[in-house]
Amino acid sequence: MSAAWWQWVASRDSLTARLVSAGGQRPFRVRLLDQRLGRPRRDEALALGLPLARHAWLREVALCLDERPWVVARSVVPLSGLHGQRLDRLGERSLGSWLFRQPDLERGPLEVSADPAPFHADSGPWARRSLFRHRRFALLVQEFFLARMADDLGLPSR
């Protein structure tokens, strides 16, 4: 992985804030692609320690600059862990805008891959995911960096 990509993939702060900063004057938008109760994929259930047949809250978004998706993301929260959190009301607001304001937020290790987003047609060079914990609340966040972001920022293809 190039050093330029490593700065993006290995960062542990808010990806939304990084995208807004990198975008300069370009308007940032979260485009809600899907939000529903459903069964997580097998790898997601295993990462959360969730029985395979259990339902979870699923949210898929595109993080866009100038209406161009740079990153697509998927979040998975076990229903038992929501405890009154009204994440379904986020709409087209960034999950990170809520998440990184939580004072006792813990972020697990980052897992990096070159796998494409299984829910989006555009591909990209890298993906990452990590598990966040806030009190008894657990949330799996998966972010897929798209080739369009690399093109717009002049990043190498890998």
Side-chain angles (χ1 to χ4, degrees):
M1 178 181 301
S2 70
W5 270 115
W6 183 251
Q7 291 178 11
W8 282 97
V9 174
S11 70
R12 297 182 61 82
D13 55 349
S14 169
L15 179 58
T16 298
R18 286 177 157 269
L19 290 169
V20 168
S21 177
Q25 297 300 314
R26 298 174 224 186
F28 175 81
R29 175 181 176 218
V30 176
R31 184 184 316 145
L32 182 62
L33 303 174
D34 191 20
Q35 181 174 272
R36 70 189 186 297
L37 298 181
R39 288 193 177 136
R41 294 189 322 266
R42 178 178 169 69
D43 65 296
E44 294 168 334
L46 291 172
L48 286 161
L50 193 63
L52 295 180
R54 218 34 85 74
H55 279 76
W57 178 74
L58 310 172
R59 182 175 193 242
E60 296 167 355
V61 298
L63 306 178
C64 305
L65 279 293
D66 269 343
E67 295 298 322
R68 294 168 48 93
W70 278 16
V71 174
V72 291
R74 177 174 161 102
S75 303
V76 181
V77 181
L79 296 181
S80 61
L82 284 174
H83 301 291
Q85 303 294 339
R86 297 305 316 247
L87 298 178
D88 58 328
R89 293 184 181 170
L90 280 171
E92 295 205 335
R93 287 177 299 167
S94 160
L95 176 63
S97 67
W98 173 82
L99 199 57
F100 284 95
R101 287 194 322 250
Q102 306 312 308
D104 58 347
L105 181 70
E106 295 176 15
R107 186 176 198 168
L110 289 167
E111 297 175 32
V112 178
S113 78
D115 296 337
F119 60 92
H120 198 268
D122 293 348
S123 62
W126 300 109
R128 69 180 189 174
R129 76 178 188 178
S130 57
L131 190 63
F132 289 86
R133 294 194 183 280
H134 167 60
R135 298 186 188 122
R136 295 183 304 171
F137 176 80
L139 167 73
L140 181 65
V141 175
Q142 302 158 100
E143 298 156 327
F144 301 84
F145 298 90
L146 302 179
R148 187 171 291 126
M149 176 183 165
D151 293 344
D152 287 352
L153 292 178
L155 295 168
S157 61
R158 282 261 176 199

